[in-house]
């Protein structure tokens, strides 16, 4: 996943941009680069590999200038080489540009540009944009960028500088997150980034761009423009947007003594689950208070069907939500991968509520699925972590999970935060649909115990670590669970694949006998999720089946 950082102001840009890029390292990348402008000329340093490679180059030959852009690249078009790393430049080395996303029509554009005599250096889709801007530049960078973008199909978050326009950065967004940070404490400086973690050390005043918007940054300020109609010959329209205040503290985006962010975030869960419930449980009334749902009150009163759409871990949380809402509130729920929902012709009738679940609030498929649902007339609710993110802004109402920044790419505390909020939501609906006061109070009391139960589980971490060591050399794992723990099994298998590069599959435990059982022998560890719930005895029978075939059971 790529990252963008930009700076314009009185300070040297290189160290600020480098620091911002380091804050984005957690997102994964395979090359990095920075460009600055100094005394009318553009200078670029890039390196394949980790940021330390780039630092090596910068030590040999530092960049000067108080105005620049930087990037961490995750290769999509073209190998992860230094040439393909961003920033990219035009033929005259006056324009430098960094880009997140994919320019889908890059090959057509490239052919046209080559016919006009442009020579390309990289294999990337991004480089075409530099050449189009070069072609269109007539002394005003924002005009050239707005027009260039009207020729582009696909997704982008970009930041661009031009040697003839010192002290200016132009940024724009379509389907890929971008924000600007406004200098604090009287500093006349501006930042740009794809993720707030890159700038939060220097400012908490940010403006999130919407799709189809462009911003022009100088040390003295910014202007925000709607360029969505540029392709139809319309001039950019000025937009005013409230400044959002980021309430994270620096400690939340630092490792705090843990070996890595994922571990830190796993251990934060007793607190993050408590934070997700804070002020929301009503003991006396035996229900949940969810202020963000007020705008949807009428919808929720009359809802006949719920469709939840999400990706990855958030999709797994959605299935747990489906089970809880159907069991407690008796409202039919369907769960759809956002990437499928957006390209189908989904049925959305009156009485359908669509819920989008997302940690980041910026996942392109989830955003597009939401928009598809809205275009079909559905009211949209969000369950989101990142306050002020695109998904949060585009919903009609919703509930934040308040897990704080999830820096580890593998979702952990956000998953349990999503489950907590889904449980609150299921309770809220159920109490309106026949759950008794007594049952409601019992549910609230049980939820109050969650943080402590999670803490007790985490106390087992050294025992869990020794089991992990024992099985670390196995190449395949099965994760099995029933009921609420079927989606938890899916999530366990996803985590193992993502983090350990070990193949793993999740199944409902009873499905094992319909095929996967053929795989079970002493080389196939099977992880069972088997708490003492209503299906416990069923799961223990499945455990026996595995043992009978010599399989190793981790329960
Ligand atoms: O930010 P989102 O929840 O929308 O992200 C969706 C998935 O990309 C995400 O949950 C992914 O599967 C996890 N990072 C896996 O750990």
């Amino acid at each position: 996943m790529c990252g963008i950082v930009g700076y314009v102001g009185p300070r040297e840009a290189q160290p600020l941009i480098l620091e911002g890029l380091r804050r984005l390292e957690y997102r994964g990348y395979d090359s990095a680069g920075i460009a600055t402008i100094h005394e009318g000329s553009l200078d670029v340093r890039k390196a394949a590999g980790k940021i330390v490679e780039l630092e090596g180059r910068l030590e040999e030959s530092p960049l000067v200038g108080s105005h620049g852009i930087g990037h961490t690249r995750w290769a999509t078009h073209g190998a992860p080489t230094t040439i393909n790393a961003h920033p990219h430049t035009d033929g005259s080395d006056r324009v430098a540009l960094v880009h997140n996303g994919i320019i889908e029509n890059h090959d057509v554009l490239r052919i046209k540009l080559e016919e006009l005599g442009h020579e390309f250096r990289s294999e990337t889709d991004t480089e075409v944009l530099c050449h189009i801007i070069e072609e269109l530049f007539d002394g005003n960078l924002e005009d050239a960028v707005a027009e260039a973008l009207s020729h582009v199909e696909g997704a982008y978050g970009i930041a661009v500088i031009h040697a003839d326009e010192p002290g200016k950065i132009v940024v724009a967004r379509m389907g890929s997150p971008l924000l600007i940070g406004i200098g604090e404490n009287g500093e006349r400086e501006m930042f740009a980034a794809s993720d707030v973690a890159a700038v939060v050390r220097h400012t908490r005043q940010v403006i999130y761009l919407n799709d189809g918007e462009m911003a022009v940054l100088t040390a003295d300020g910014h202007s925000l423009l709607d360029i969505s109609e540029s392709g139809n010959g319309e001039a950019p329209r000025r937009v005013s947007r409230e400044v959002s205040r980021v309430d994270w503290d620096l400690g939340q985006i630092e490792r705090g003594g843990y070996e890595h962010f994922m571990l830190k975030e796993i251990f934060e869960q007793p607190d993050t689950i408590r934070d997700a419930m804070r002020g929301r449980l009503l003991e006396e009334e035996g229900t949940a208070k969810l202020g963000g749902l007020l705008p949807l009150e009428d919808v929720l009163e009359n809802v006949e069907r719920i469709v939840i759409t999400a990706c990855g871990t958030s999709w797994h949380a959605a299935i747990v939500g489906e089970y809880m809402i159907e069991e407690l509130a008796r409202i039919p729920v369907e769960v759809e991968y956002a990437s499928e929902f957006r390209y189908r012709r989904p049925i959305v009738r009156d009485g359908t509520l669509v819920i989008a679940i997302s940690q980041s609030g910026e996942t392109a498929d989830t955003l597009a699925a939401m928009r598809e649902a809205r275009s079909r007339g559905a009211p949209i609710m969000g369950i989101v972590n990142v306050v002020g993110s695109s998904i949060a802004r585009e919903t009609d109402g919703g509930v934040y999970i308040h897990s704080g920044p999830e820096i580890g790419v593998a979702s952990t505390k956000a998953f349990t935060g999503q489950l907590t909020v889904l449980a609150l939501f299921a309770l809220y609906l159920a109490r309106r649909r026949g759950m008794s006061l007594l049952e409601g109070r019992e549910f609230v009391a049980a939820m109050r115990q969650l943080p402590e139960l999670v803490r007790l589980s985490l106390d087992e971490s050294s025992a869990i670590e020794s089991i992990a060591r024992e099985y670390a050399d196995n190449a395949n794992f099965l994760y099995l669970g029933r009921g609420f723990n079927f989606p938890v099994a899916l999530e366990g298998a996803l985590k193992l694949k993502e983090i350990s590069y070990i193949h793993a599959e999740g199944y409902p435990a009873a499905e094992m006998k319909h095929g996967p059982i053929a795989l079970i022998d002493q080389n196939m560890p099977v992880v069972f999720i088997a708490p003492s719930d209503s299906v416990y005895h069923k799961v223990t029978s499945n455990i026996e089946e595995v043992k009978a075939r010599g399989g190793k059971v981790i329960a």
Side-chain angles (χ1 to χ4, degrees):
M1 275 158 279
C2 309
I4 290 176
V5 186
Y7 174 78
V8 53
R11 300 193 260 173
E12 274 302 298
Q14 177 194 301
L16 290 168
I17 295 173
L18 205 51
E19 182 208 328
L21 293 180
R22 270 198 230 99
R23 299 258 182 219
L24 301 183
E25 274 194 293
Y26 73 89
R27 302 179 66 86
Y29 65 100
D30 42 40
S31 60
I34 300 181
T36 58
I37 287 171
H38 182 58
E39 294 180 347
S41 65
L42 178 70
D43 225 351
V44 183
R45 305 280 180 278
K46 315 200 269 192
K50 293 291 164 197
I51 286 179
V52 20
E53 305 295 330
L54 175 65
E55 281 173 320
R57 294 207 177 179
L58 290 166
E59 263 163 41
E60 283 162 23
S61 167
L63 286 169
V64 278
S66 56
H67 152 226
I69 53 177
H71 192 258
T72 46
R73 171 177 188 250
W74 182 267
T76 54
H77 288 68
T81 58
T82 300
I83 295 248
N84 288 335
H86 300 211
H88 288 286
T89 49
D90 65 326
S92 62
D93 285 330
R94 306 298 287 165
V95 179
L97 180 144
V98 292
H99 166 223
N100 291 353
I102 293 175
I103 310 286
E104 283 165 5
N105 57 340
H106 69 101
D107 35 7
V108 182
L109 296 171
R110 193 178 183 118
I111 292 168
K112 283 192 194 154
L113 287 158
E114 279 170 345
E115 282 167 6
L116 291 172
H118 290 258
E119 283 179 22
F120 284 78
R121 298 169 179 145
S122 77
E123 303 158 286
T124 64
D125 53 329
T126 300
E127 196 186 334
V128 294
L129 260 173
C130 305
H131 293 270
I132 306 178
I133 294 169
E134 176 186 12
E135 196 63 39
L136 297 171
F137 183 75
D138 194 12
N140 181 301
L141 184 57
E142 54 270 38
D143 287 353
V145 172
E147 192 176 342
L149 291 173
S150 71
H151 296 283
V152 156
E153 286 162 22
Y156 53 79
I158 56 165
V160 197
I161 53 178
H162 196 296
D164 293 353
E165 290 253 51
K168 184 189 277 184
I169 304 177
V170 175
V171 298
R173 162 192 173 140
M174 178 61 76
S176 194
L178 207 70
L179 60 94
I180 58 181
I182 301 165
E184 284 184 322
N185 308 322
E187 290 288 356
R188 288 172 51 214
E189 60 185 2
M190 296 289 296
F191 297 82
S194 51
D195 183 324
V196 77
V199 301
V200 75
R201 175 146 179 251
H202 303 285
T203 178
R204 284 156 194 287
Q205 313 279 350
V206 301
I207 292 180
Y208 295 95
L209 266 68
N210 286 337
D211 281 350
E213 289 179 350
M214 177 174 87
V216 184
L217 315 183
T218 64
D220 292 323
H222 67 277
S223 55
L224 189 59
L225 302 159
D226 179 345
I227 55 163
S228 55
E229 296 299 326
S230 298
N232 303 329
E234 301 262 331
R237 195 173 48 82
R238 265 187 179 269
V239 178
S240 65
R241 168 93 22 84
E242 246 177 66
V243 176
S244 307
R245 183 160 175 86
V246 179
D247 56 6
W248 300 353
D249 61 54
L250 265 185
Q252 285 180 295
I253 58 165
E254 279 165 359
R255 278 185 287 139
Y258 284 94
E259 220 175 305
H260 47 75
F261 280 110
M262 184 176 170
L263 202 57
K264 178 185 179 221
E265 288 161 7
I266 287 171
F267 278 91
E268 280 173 0
Q269 287 175 104
D271 292 330
T272 51
I273 291 173
R274 200 173 285 111
D275 290 342
M277 297 193 289
R278 197 178 300 283
R280 290 171 167 171
L281 283 174
L282 302 180
E283 255 89 15
E284 270 303 300
E285 295 90 330
T287 189
K289 186 174 112 199
L290 300 168
L293 297 187
L294 270 178
L296 287 166
E297 199 145 3
D298 288 346
V299 172
L300 294 170
E301 198 57 48
N302 301 308
V303 62
E304 287 166 15
R305 169 180 172 248
I306 294 174
V307 176
I308 313 183
T309 189
C311 303
T313 293
S314 300
W315 185 82
H316 296 150
I319 305 177
V320 182
E322 172 191 6
Y323 284 23
M324 289 195 284
I325 294 167
E326 291 200 341
E327 180 166 324
L328 299 172
R330 313 300 299 152
I331 300 170
V333 180
E334 288 153 47
V335 176
E336 272 243 38
Y337 283 117
S339 54
E340 291 297 312
F341 187 91
R342 65 180 288 196
Y343 292 118
R344 299 199 304 112
R345 289 176 55 218
I347 298 171
V348 178
R349 298 215 171 89
D350 280 356
T352 302
L353 167 71
V354 172
I355 303 178
I357 304 183
S358 174
Q359 185 285 123
S360 60
E362 299 292 350
T363 301
D365 281 327
T366 310
L367 199 51
M370 261 174 64
R371 290 175 182 162
E372 175 64 31
R374 178 173 310 290
S375 74
R376 291 171 188 276
I380 317 285
M381 172 182 147
I383 295 180
V384 174
N385 188 32
V386 178
V387 176
S389 56
S390 303
I391 293 177
R393 291 201 309 273
E394 290 195 27
T395 51
D396 299 306
V399 190
Y400 282 118
I401 64 172
H402 293 312
S403 299
E406 190 171 65
I407 308 282
V409 169
S411 191
T412 54
K413 61 176 181 172
F415 178 64
T416 47
Q418 289 163 345
L419 299 189
T420 307
V421 163
L422 282 160
L424 293 173
F425 180 58
L427 171 66
Y428 170 91
L429 290 175
R431 286 286 288 123
R432 296 164 159 232
R433 307 239 172 178
M435 181 192 259
S436 71
L437 176 62
L438 188 63
E439 285 171 311
R441 284 180 178 164
E442 282 170 4
F443 197 94
V444 169
M447 287 205 67
R448 284 258 183 247
Q449 291 177 25
L450 280 173
E452 180 56 13
L453 292 172
V454 171
R455 194 191 61 73
L456 288 172
S457 303
L458 293 173
D459 283 350
E460 299 292 316
S461 60
S462 35
I464 296 168
E465 191 178 338
S466 56
I467 295 170
R469 280 188 196 287
E470 191 181 332
Y471 288 92
D473 292 332
N474 283 81
N476 300 287
F477 280 74
L478 271 185
Y479 280 69
L480 303 178
R482 294 177 88 131
F484 296 114
N485 288 306
F486 153 51
V488 176
L490 296 179
E491 175 61 8
L494 173 67
K495 285 293 98 98
L496 194 71
K497 282 186 265 215
E498 189 181 22
I499 293 306
S500 317
Y501 312 114
I502 295 173
H503 171 243
E505 296 296 335
Y507 277 98
E511 274 298 298
M512 182 183 60
K513 60 180 168 294
H514 300 290
I517 199 161
L519 296 170
I520 290 173
D521 61 16
Q522 68 282 7
N523 298 317
M524 174 66 89
V526 185
V527 181
F528 276 95
I529 301 142
S532 93
D533 60 10
S534 61
V535 286
Y536 177 70
H537 293 293
K538 298 275 176 205
V539 179
T540 51
S541 309
N542 300 133
I543 291 177
E544 291 309 322
E545 286 163 5
V546 170
K547 283 187 176 168
R549 280 159 187 81
K552 302 246 172 68
V553 172
I554 302 164

